[in-house]
Amino acid sequence: MYFVEALDRVEAMRCVLCLFENVATGAADGYARMADRPASTLLHLGPGLANGLSNLHNARRAFSPVVNIVGEHASYHKPFDAPLTSDIAGVAAPFSDWVGTVGSVNTIGADTAEAIRQSRAAPGRIATLIAPAETSWLNGGVVSGATQIDGPREVSEAALECAAALIRTGEPTLLLLTGKALRADALEKAGRIARAFPNVSVMAQNSNGRIERGTGRFPVDRIPYPVAQALARLKDFRSAVLVGAKEPVAFFAYPDRPSRLLPEDATILRLASIEDDGPDALARLANLLGALAPAIVEDGSPAPPRDGPLNAETLALALAAGLPENAIVVDESVSVGRGFYAAMRSAPAHDWLHVTGGSIGNGLPMAVGAAVACPGRRVVCLEGDGSAMYTNQALWTMAREKLNVTTVILDNRSYAILHGEFAAIVGGRAGVRASQMLDIGRPDLDWIALASSMGVPATKVSDVNSFLAAFAVANNTPGPHLIDAVIAG
């Protein structure tokens, strides 16, 4: 409460109220990805932190800088084991890169500065600072000075020479990227290498914090999510050069399927870890290889969609055709939207944000944070109906803050991703009782009523032309809007 009271005296800080901690942590993730600087959450003791851990997991996998301020009982009150007492540090540790506790009121300024410093260390980290209550009300606090930020490390010349030697062999080579290597300038350098050496294919991990793509930018495919597709896509590579990325592996273990997706005998070279300066490494590698001709960028235009019922294919074309210039696409479309990324490669220039840790419920909150970070840009949130129910409170925050977010609910009345995993792992179709654990009908969710109750205008559509009209209105009207896109069975 002393932190909240201080907001009236520190006007430079913007405070955004979220109705659930997992919305707050997801919003911090979205903000950090687009602003390239830390967002902060204010969480209430151990249970409040626990409510936000799912999206802190996603944020950590996205390398988003986030500072969590977690209130704790006054140190003299903890021995009485009041109801909210818990091991906050123990709860925070698996989902944080750094955990600290304020030692006293005299050190709270320095401790907070250290948390910020830790969060800003390359490539971006989750820092959790635990603040005992009395450090907020006792006298003696000291404002901290500036701290030194640890930037990305420079890749060695020896590592560059090894990568260049692999590429010069002429063998099929995968250049696999993530992190800031997926920004437009860095991708252009990767594109130069691919143009100069036809044996090189540039790809991104399946899930990435942020990709700058669309018309005028070098297009980069992602490793497919389904194991069979990924194995087929990667089977011919004899080597792989990793820039920020890890060796590609299957999302889950499946019976009779490998965990590793590259051929067993492929040579794997880590040119740059995620802590290293990936963009600089790509630029230097291109120069070392003599790859100076500009990359071949995406210069097409989206295929015009035809009217008809909405399904995965027709909706992808409609999204590509109607996407605003310089939009931010937040993708939690899960199964219905698996083909959206490829279909929208020739859409106007945009940023694409994935749910990086696989923990459902990040889309709507991440859209909140991205819209706060970039108020002049339109955020388009592609959201599965099952996933949206995890954190639908984010709609209320969108309305309250008047955020420019267009939410497209992919309404197939099912946890379709779970049907797919059931078939892949167990085999066959789910029976009657098993299906009850995978479908979300009976009753059907009423997205128009739900959004309207939280102050977000909403429209329901089931065909391409109606969607295009609603999409245009939503994207050209200030504030949030929700489109309930009913997907044909």
Side-chain angles (χ1 to χ4, degrees), residues 424-461:
I425 295 173
V426 179
R429 295 176 62 85
V432 174
R433 295 183 68 187
S435 292
Q436 292 175 359
M437 304 300 294
L438 308 178
D439 295 327
I440 54 175
R442 299 183 301 110
D444 291 341
L445 297 168
D446 187 341
W447 284 102
I448 304 302
L450 193 153
S452 298
S453 73
M454 297 196 193
V456 176
T459 307
K460 188 170 187 174
V461 299

Side-chain angles (χ1 to χ4, degrees), residues 138-210:
L138 293 175
N139 293 322
V142 179
V143 176
S144 174
T147 57
Q148 180 67 39
I149 305 302
D150 296 329
R153 302 176 306 210
E154 184 177 89
V155 170
S156 70
E157 286 295 329
L160 291 167
E161 291 284 358
C162 289
L166 267 183
I167 290 171
R168 289 188 181 116
T169 64
E171 294 285 345
T173 300
L174 171 66
L175 186 57
L176 187 61
L177 316 178
T178 198
K180 288 188 171 61
L182 292 173
R183 303 293 175 87
D185 287 347
L187 282 172
E188 201 279 332
K189 304 304 188 296
R192 292 186 181 196
I193 297 170
R195 181 174 184 175
F197 293 85
N199 60 305
V200 173
S201 297
V202 181
M203 296 186 72
Q205 293 184 161
N206 176 260
S207 297
N208 304 275
R210 177 179 171 187

Side-chain angles (χ1 to χ4, degrees), residues 354-443:
H354 292 117
V355 178
T356 48
S359 186
I360 292 175
N362 199 26
L364 292 174
M366 192 158 47
V368 167
V372 171
C374 303
R377 300 174 64 179
R378 193 75 195 181
V379 177
V380 175
C381 181
L382 307 177
E383 185 65 68
D385 53 354
S387 303
M389 286 303 292
Y390 281 59
T391 46
N392 57 57
Q393 306 93 333
L395 295 170
W396 181 89
T397 300
M398 293 177 192
R400 187 184 223 219
E401 298 291 326
K402 299 180 174 60
L403 301 178
N404 295 322
V405 179
T406 299
T407 299
V408 180
I409 298 293
L410 308 174
D411 188 352
N412 62 359
R413 298 161 299 284
S414 171
Y415 283 127
I417 184 66
L418 300 185
H419 279 284
E421 295 300 335
F422 186 96
I425 295 173
V426 179
R429 295 176 62 85
V432 174
R433 295 183 68 187
S435 292
Q436 292 175 359
M437 304 300 294
L438 308 178
D439 295 327
I440 54 175
R442 299 183 301 110

Side-chain angles (χ1 to χ4, degrees), residues 3 42-43 45 68-75 88 100-103 108 111-112 128-136:
F3 190 113
L42 179 62
L43 307 171
L45 290 91
N68 301 304
I69 306 296
V70 185
E72 168 66 296
H73 286 305
S75 56
I88 298 177
T101 300
V102 176
I108 192 168
D111 294 335
T112 303
T128 299
L129 181 65
I130 304 165
E134 77 271 21
T135 61
S136 293

